[in-house]
Amino acid sequence: QVQLVESGGGLVQAGGSLRLSCAASGRTFSSYDMGWFRQASGKEREFVAAITRSGASTYYADSVKGRFTISRDNAKNTVYLQMNGLKPEDTAVYYCNIAVGYGSRRYGLSDYWGQGTQVTVSS
């Protein structure tokens, strides 16, 4: 069993940076590919980034590639999303989850969605 809590969101001006954290509990954290997803108001949740179990490979949505970096520290049971060059269209609630699928074709497991963390990017 894995439980996930996101943090690090906030209000930032366009061009700024934020670092999101996802704290995981559970004995099998390192057994899973992990991902970040986001949901803007009135929109469906979408894939943002994924990282394989060991952290050796990462995958990104085209909209964030080159600006966002996903990483993980299995010893700390934590996944991170470094977001640089933020744009107003990045405004959304960001969630982490077990990332099912392969490459950049990912979805999260329904049992593990949490509250997420709000990211708001102003012009």
Side-chain angles (χ1 to χ4, degrees):
Q1 179 176 315
V2 177
Q3 296 186 158
L4 307 167
V5 179
E6 302 92 341
S7 63
L11 175 64
V12 63
Q13 289 188 320
S17 298
L18 285 172
R19 190 192 192 205
L20 307 184
S21 296
C22 173
S25 62
R27 293 154 52 202
T28 59
F29 173 76
S30 63
S31 296
Y32 305 106
D33 287 10
M34 298 296 297
W36 285 95
F37 305 80
R38 68 187 182 187
Q39 186 169 25
S41 181
K43 304 293 184 181
E44 293 187 351
R45 187 151 44 205
E46 65 178 353
F47 166 77
V48 175
I51 187 166
T52 54
R53 296 191 303 172
S54 68
S57 299
T58 58
Y59 307 91
Y60 299 92
D62 288 343
S63 60
V64 307
K65 192 172 184 179
R67 300 188 296 119
F68 291 9
T69 302
I70 187 172
S71 61
R72 69 191 297 164
D73 187 336
N74 287 344
K76 296 180 178 179
N77 286 355
T78 303
V79 183
Y80 304 96
L81 186 68
Q82 178 66 46
M83 305 185 295
N84 298 325
L86 283 162
K87 304 175 180 179
E89 53 261 46
D90 295 318
T91 296
V93 178
Y94 284 70
Y95 304 86
C96 65
N97 207 333
I98 294 169
V100 178
Y102 58 91
S104 59
R105 301 177 66 180
R106 304 283 188 162
Y107 61 93
L109 293 180
S110 61
D111 285 353
Y112 297 110
W113 295 116
Q115 295 298 305
T117 186
Q118 176 72 49
V119 172
T120 302
V121 184
S122 65
S123 301

